Amino acid sequence: MLIHGDEAARPDGAVTPPITQGTNWAAASGEEFLAMATEPLHPDFYNRAGNPNHEQASAVIAQLEGAERALLTATGMGAATTAALALVRAGDHVIGQRSMYAGVTSLLLNLLPRFGVECTEVDQTDVGAFEAALRPNTSLVLLESPSNPRLEVTDLAAVAELARRHGALTLADNTFATPINQRPLELGVDLVWHSATKYMGGHADLMAGVVAGPTEIVERIWNTTQVVGAVLAPFNAWLLLRGLRTLSLRVDRHNKNATALSEALEGHPAVSRVYYPGLASHPGHAVAARQMSGFGGVLAFELEAGHEAADAFISRLRYAKRAASLGNVGSLVVHPAAMWAHAMTPAQLESAGVSPGLVRFATGIEHPNDLVEDVIGALEGTG
Ligand SMILES: Cc1ncc(COP(=O)(O)O)c(C=O)c1O
């Protein structure tokens, strides 16, 4: 489906779909204009509503996630914020995980409360914490597994079942896992979203977001997109489709690389802890093994010698770039304690699980031997 899933939406005979850059399309009659203007996600009316390049890339993503429909947005945060604004109203209560992408934490704790929405954070490793947090007015539960930066695992099926019984919708960020490794909708989650900037695009050359799920809910979110306006440019949708063609090949290599690195680092005397859901030592391993078919390309580890050692280690790496983001063909590495020091106090960092020596390593698709040799060399100061 990565290669052929968009064929019904391709112009006849196009092996690779063209970029449709024009803003709008003409109607043959007043009736046709009205039909074009009112059909959700119409691909040939006006680019804020939809576009052929959106239709092609979203068709592939919907099939990958097992969703009826998918909607593309300008960035991952564009998808999350637009979905939340579409799905909740003043007086509602929203639950989010204590460990989530920082932008979503800000949506939960800063933005939604300004519109009269009550919000609660819970420890996502404890299904009972979600149950205890549910209130009669809970309308939405925000999930992310594995989560940033310590790869904590949420039991998606158990939380989805709880929320469903309670009448609340679940919206899961599947960016770290990708639909190659994990399909939340099959586990009972209502809606899935991605920073398609990451693995789906795959080459650190576009920003995009996507939300996928039942047609009726995706169309509600599309309605809000028409007000929020965080829509994807046609060229970025085209690049996204090009990235998607190789998603499965790349994710296989990312999975292999992160497994090889986490195994090489576990037990190394300079490393006190490795966080990777594929390791049997990871507290979420059993749940991850149940809900994932591969464990993803990101791992984190703690250097025993702390802050300066982590900084010096990153400086010694030959291949991985010290850069935000993940899911790129080349490895990317961050030192969360340094990256977030401007925004969080030491106490907040500690409660988010960010120790001074924590390193987050987002593997690329380099050869696993090269990556292991580089990382172990940099650790031992011989790289
Ligand atoms: C897990 C996760 N979700 C969402 C986002 C936000 O996506 P974007 O940067 O495309 O807005 C990010 C970005 O780093 C992320 O890592």
Side-chain angles (χ1 to χ4, degrees), residues 75-77 101 144 173 175-176 193 195 197-198 207-208 326:
T75 64
M77 281 313 300
Y101 174 63
E144 177 183 325
D173 183 345
T175 302
F176 267 47
W193 72 279
S195 168
T197 313
K198 309 296 188 311
M207 297 210 61
L326 54 123

Side-chain angles (χ1 to χ4, degrees), residues 5-303:
D6 59 309
E7 269 171 16
R10 269 187 232 169
D12 280 349
V15 173
T16 295
I19 304 165
T20 305
Q21 188 63 37
T23 312
N24 44 358
W25 286 259
S29 65
E31 291 80 55
E32 196 192 358
F33 185 92
L34 184 65
M36 284 157 68
T38 49
E39 183 187 319
L41 289 96
H42 197 295
D44 326 296
F45 168 62
Y46 183 59
N47 266 340
R48 179 151 40 77
N51 167 283
N53 298 110
H54 287 190
E55 195 185 28
Q56 291 143 11
S58 64
V60 170
I61 296 170
Q63 288 167 62
L64 279 178
E65 289 288 7
E68 283 176 8
R69 193 112 212 217
L71 169 72
L72 300 182
T73 52
T75 64
M77 281 313 300
T81 301
T82 309
L85 291 176
L87 301 175
V88 302
R89 59 182 64 225
D92 282 359
H93 173 240
V94 176
I95 299 174
Q97 301 186 168
R98 193 191 55 200
S99 172
M100 292 194 293
Y101 174 63
V104 185
T105 299
S106 189
L107 167 67
L108 183 76
L109 300 183
N110 301 327
L111 188 67
L112 291 178
R114 284 173 39 201
F115 296 98
V117 176
E118 300 175 298
C119 295
T120 307
E121 278 188 307
V122 300
D123 172 357
Q124 72 272 18
T125 62
D126 176 8
V127 175
F130 286 92
E131 187 158 24
L134 283 164
R135 299 182 193 166
N137 57 339
T138 305
S139 59
L140 183 65
V141 182
L142 300 172
L143 303 170
E144 177 183 325
S145 184
S147 70
N148 197 8
R150 287 199 321 188
L151 292 308
E152 289 178 72
V153 174
T154 311
D155 187 333
L156 294 173
V159 177
E161 164 66 19
L162 267 181
R164 182 155 306 219
R165 268 196 275 128
H166 200 82
L169 289 174
T170 40
L171 171 62
D173 183 345
N174 202 29
T175 302
F176 267 47
T178 83
I180 305 299
N181 288 325
Q182 175 174 278
R183 279 170 297 285
L185 302 187
E186 287 172 6
L187 299 166
V189 167
D190 296 297
L191 290 155
V192 63
W193 72 279
H194 286 261
S195 168
T197 313
K198 309 296 188 311
Y199 292 99
M200 287 191 171
H203 298 73
D205 56 9
L206 69 97
M207 297 210 61
V210 63
V211 57
T215 300
E216 183 269 320
I217 306 181
V218 171
E219 289 183 355
R220 262 159 65 198
I221 300 170
W222 171 82
N223 254 310
T224 303
T225 318
Q226 297 313 291
V227 179
V228 173
V231 297
L232 190 65
F235 180 50
N236 284 355
W238 184 89
L239 275 177
L240 174 59
L241 183 60
R242 197 168 86 140
L244 284 166
R245 302 291 190 212
T246 55
L247 181 69
S248 155
L249 290 172
R250 287 185 284 107
V251 168
D252 278 353
R253 177 57 77 85
H254 284 293
N255 288 344
K256 270 197 192 81
N257 281 352
T259 301
L261 268 186
S262 56
E263 285 170 357
L265 288 166
E266 191 167 53
H268 190 284
V271 177
S272 51
R273 188 93 198 257
V274 181
Y275 303 96
Y276 184 61
L279 290 177
S281 60
H282 189 285
H285 176 67
V287 176
R290 221 169 42 228
Q291 66 191 19
M292 302 179 82
S293 55
F295 298 103
V298 183
L299 65 146
F301 47 95
E302 281 175 27
L303 296 195

